[in-house]
């Protein structure tokens, strides 16, 4: 079955707009009759991804594919990449600046929460090239 596709652009360093994609997707899913824990998990994991795109990558692109049984989310950026993905997945580890932390972000929970709230989580990153993430939440 063909998926319903939603695409979003996340601007870099604009924390006032980070969260728009997750809120929009949440509203669209609810209008499609999808509710409950899966929508919460999609919203949390995608919001964390948006914040990471804004903070660390200078922005990026999100594609969400809605199937009858799952939602696939792809986050792609051309940012600096992640030198040590395993370290970045540790709760509390952050490379956010003090300025970003002063805004209430950068607690080192972004990637861990993305992994926690997705049923499937894949990350591929290359320093100097960017990061590509796939998250799947089952409906």
């Amino acid at each position: 079955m063909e998926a319903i596709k939603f695409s979003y652009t996340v601007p870099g360093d604009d924390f006032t707009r980070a969260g728009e994609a997750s809120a929009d997707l949440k509203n669209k899913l609810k209008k499609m009759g999808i509710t409950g824990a899966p929508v919460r998990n999609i919203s949390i994991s995608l919001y964390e991804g948006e914040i990471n795109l804004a903070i660390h990558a200078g922005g990026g692109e999100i594609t969400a594919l809605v199937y009858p049984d799952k939602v696939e989310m792809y986050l792609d950026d051309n940012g600096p990449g992640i030198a040590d993905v395993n370290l970045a997945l540790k709760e509390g580890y952050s490379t956010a600046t003090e300025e970003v932390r002063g805004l209430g972000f950068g607690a080192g929970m972004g990637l861990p929460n993305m992994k926690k709230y997705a049923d499937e989580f894949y990350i591929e990153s290359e320093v100097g090239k960017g990061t590509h993430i796939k998250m799947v939440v089952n409906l």
Side-chain angles (χ1 to χ4, degrees), residues 67-88:
Y67 294 92
D69 62 336
K70 65 184 176 183
V71 175
E72 295 179 357
M73 297 165 282
Y74 298 88
L75 290 77
D76 296 292
D77 69 64
N78 295 311
I82 302 169
D84 187 336
V85 171
N86 289 327
L87 182 58

Side-chain angles (χ1 to χ4, degrees), residues 36-113:
V39 173
R40 178 182 58 94
N41 293 347
I42 290 163
S43 297
I44 292 169
S45 58
L46 191 56
Y47 176 79
E48 294 286 10
E50 282 181 84
I51 293 298
N52 278 357
L53 288 172
I55 291 173
H56 302 290
E61 300 296 323
I62 295 172
T63 302
L65 301 175
V66 181
Y67 294 92
D69 62 336
K70 65 184 176 183
V71 175
E72 295 179 357
M73 297 165 282
Y74 298 88
L75 290 77
D76 296 292
D77 69 64
N78 295 311
I82 302 169
D84 187 336
V85 171
N86 289 327
L87 182 58
L89 285 166
K90 280 185 67 177
E91 289 186 11
Y93 176 79
S94 178
T95 59
T97 65
E98 287 303 316
E99 178 184 0
V100 168
R101 290 174 197 246
L103 295 171
F105 301 104
M109 293 303 295
L111 287 175
N113 278 339

